[in-house]
Amino acid sequence: KKVKGRTVVMVAEEAGVDPMYLLRIEAGRWLATDQTLEKIARAVGTTLQDVKDLIEETSQMTAEDLMQKIREV
């Protein structure tokens, strides 16, 4: 998935986290501290609350809905 023209790997590197960890956080499979979420938010140019909202939204999606959302980005 790309975020603002950057790949997950690029965002993860900028945030200082493993790309797979970032994907698991986004999918709601792993919990992250606010400190880690803040780093991710800064890496994509958004707020901590926006990141938390995205995690909440995607964690409640079916796999099909999640794949559709990924294709739209």
Side-chain angles (χ1 to χ4, degrees):
K1 175 177 173 174
K2 291 190 175 188
V3 178
K4 295 186 179 183
R6 291 179 288 168
T7 66
V8 169
V9 172
M10 295 166 81
V11 171
E13 285 178 1
E14 188 172 334
V17 299
D18 182 87
M20 290 305 296
Y21 180 61
L22 179 55
L23 287 169
R24 289 179 180 128
I25 292 169
E26 184 182 19
R29 293 188 190 124
W30 288 65
L31 298 177
T33 64
D34 280 355
Q35 181 180 13
T36 298
L37 294 177
E38 182 68 38
K39 290 177 185 178
I40 294 166
R42 275 188 260 127
V44 297
T46 192
T47 67
L48 174 60
Q49 189 59 53
D50 285 344
V51 171
K52 287 182 173 184
D53 291 346
L54 176 63
I55 292 167
E56 179 66 24
E57 180 184 335
T58 58
S59 69
Q60 296 177 14
M61 291 181 166
T62 65
E64 184 177 318
D65 289 342
L66 183 56
M67 289 307 296
Q68 180 61 37
K69 184 169 185 67
I70 289 169
R71 283 190 288 269
E72 292 172 1
V73 173

